[in-house]
Amino acid sequence: MKALLVIAVQNGIVNFGEFKEELSLMENVIKDFKESDSPVIFMRYLDDAEESPLYKYSVGSELHISLKDYADYVLEKQTPSSFFNTELSNTLEKLGTNHLFITGFNTEFCCMFTAISAFDSGYKVTFIENATGTVNTDETYEMQGLDIKDFVGTVLHWSNSIEVLDYEEYVGEYITENTI
């Protein structure tokens, strides 16, 4: 069984930048999973620090209105990994999941850490690179010209452990063959 993980699509992140394209691709993937009756699991990152845009009692921590109604499950986390001290493993086990697809925010933190943790936990992992987004830029990392999504996707791909696809490749691989 396949499941889709939608990570940290929350007001405190989405309202930070322009993510129309990323949200559209995430929604397309979500709709594909819904059409095939495959589970869609949203992860909320909750922070204890009141000054955080993801403070657990703030509007910033709430799922973004553009996608929140698609959630079959909403789980909470407090670290970059969606597996550490969460109910994700139990939920995936109950669903009989063996293949996890990953979308969401931030590419180089929660999405990457979760992809690696999922592989370490024995799942087949598909990381849909352009259906992830980040509030960070090349300036954040003082690396002029850095394409964060491409860099993370390349590193995960080179691991030969995690399948990395862009949305178009995902459609060609999983939708046209109706294998979801």
Side-chain angles (χ1 to χ4, degrees), residues 5-179:
L5 199 55
V6 183
I7 303 171
V9 180
Q10 295 166 252
N11 294 327
I13 293 175
V14 175
N15 294 339
F16 191 87
E18 174 53 51
F19 298 110
K20 184 177 180 180
E21 182 179 341
E22 291 90 342
L23 291 170
S24 176
L25 293 176
M26 288 178 210
E27 185 172 31
N28 290 343
V29 176
I30 291 168
K31 286 179 177 178
D32 293 334
F33 273 73
K34 290 295 203 177
E35 287 174 14
S36 65
D37 292 322
S38 297
V40 176
I41 303 165
F42 277 64
M43 296 300 300
R44 285 180 64 209
Y45 188 105
L46 301 179
D47 200 336
D48 289 329
E50 289 185 33
E51 64 277 2
S52 169
L54 299 177
Y55 175 57
K56 61 184 172 184
Y57 300 118
S58 72
V59 172
S61 74
E62 294 175 9
L63 295 175
H64 193 261
I65 192 166
S66 64
L67 300 180
K68 73 177 186 175
D69 291 339
Y70 290 114
D72 295 319
Y73 302 87
V74 179
L75 305 176
E76 298 174 351
K77 67 188 193 83
Q78 290 192 295
T79 71
S81 172
S82 295
F83 285 88
F84 184 75
N85 287 337
T86 71
E87 288 299 313
L88 183 57
S89 291
N90 291 335
T91 301
L92 294 173
E93 186 177 323
K94 287 176 188 172
L95 292 169
T97 303
N98 60 9
H99 188 172
L100 194 59
F101 290 74
I102 296 176
T103 64
F105 291 96
N106 278 325
T107 307
E108 76 279 26
F109 287 112
C110 296
C111 295
M112 181 178 71
F113 276 75
T114 297
I116 293 166
S117 295
F119 172 77
D120 286 346
S121 297
Y123 295 96
K124 178 178 180 183
V125 180
T126 299
F127 188 94
I128 307 174
E129 180 180 310
N130 58 346
T132 69
T134 183
V135 299
N136 297 304
T137 67
D138 59 346
E139 291 178 16
T140 306
Y141 297 109
E142 299 176 1
M143 299 175 76
Q144 186 175 3
L146 176 66
D147 180 330
I148 295 168
K149 290 191 287 189
D150 187 51
F151 176 73
V152 170
T154 299
V155 168
L156 292 175
H157 173 74
W158 284 357
S159 73
N160 289 320
S161 300
I162 295 169
E163 178 180 49
V164 177
L165 304 173
D166 63 25
Y167 177 74
E168 294 74 22
E169 292 169 325
Y170 157 79
V171 168
E173 181 73 22
Y174 292 99
I175 303 307
T176 56
E177 296 177 14
N178 294 318
T179 58

